[in-house]
């Protein structure tokens, strides 16, 4: 079962669809396809996959084409800080 969630900024009316993966091997195309479908389903402007692993070359290529961000979990603090600074300014 796959779970998605959306982050919504009421001030900016921006919605981001996120999928989190905790896997033992690199993340492939399927995760990118799934979050792209969730982006459409939730009417989100942006989509991202967050994982503890790296991504396969094919997943990176597809993500570039579909404009899906591929993040490592260590990048989340920076993302949160950037979102907070946007909300303050």
């Amino acid at each position: 079962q796959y779970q998605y969630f959306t982050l919504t900024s009421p001030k900016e009316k921006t919605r981001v669809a996120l999928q989190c993966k905790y896997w033992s091997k690199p993340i492939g195309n399927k995760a990118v396809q799934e979050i792209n479908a969730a982006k459409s389903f939730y009417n989100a402007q942006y989509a991202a996959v967050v994982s503890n692993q790296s991504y396969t070359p094919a997943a990176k290529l597809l993500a570039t084409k579909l404009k899906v961000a591929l993040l490592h979990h260590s990048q989340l603090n920076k993302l949160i800080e950037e979102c907070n600074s946007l909300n303050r300014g």
Side-chain angles (χ1 to χ4, degrees):
Q1 179 179 354
Y2 297 100
Q3 296 295 320
Y4 309 97
F5 63 95
T6 59
L7 298 175
T8 305
S9 169
K11 182 178 177 183
E12 300 295 325
K13 296 185 181 176
T14 301
R15 188 173 286 174
V16 181
L18 293 173
Q19 181 179 34
C20 300
K21 295 283 190 185
Y22 187 76
W23 285 4
S24 59
K25 50 188 168 176
I27 310 302
N29 274 356
K30 188 174 178 187
V32 177
Q33 292 167 344
E34 290 168 349
I35 198 59
N36 191 59
K39 176 184 171 188
S40 178
F41 182 81
Y42 291 111
N43 296 313
Q45 289 81 13
Y46 305 100
V49 180
V50 181
S51 178
N52 62 315
Q53 290 293 326
S54 61
Y55 297 89
T56 65
K60 290 177 184 178
L61 182 64
L62 183 60
T64 299
K65 181 80 170 170
L66 298 177
K67 299 183 180 176
V68 171
L70 300 179
L71 304 172
H72 188 265
H73 68 86
S74 64
Q75 296 173 287
L76 287 178
N77 283 338
K78 183 174 170 102
L79 178 64
I80 291 167
E81 288 170 10
E82 289 180 20
C83 290
N84 286 338
S85 70
L86 289 173
N87 286 332
R88 282 187 229 120

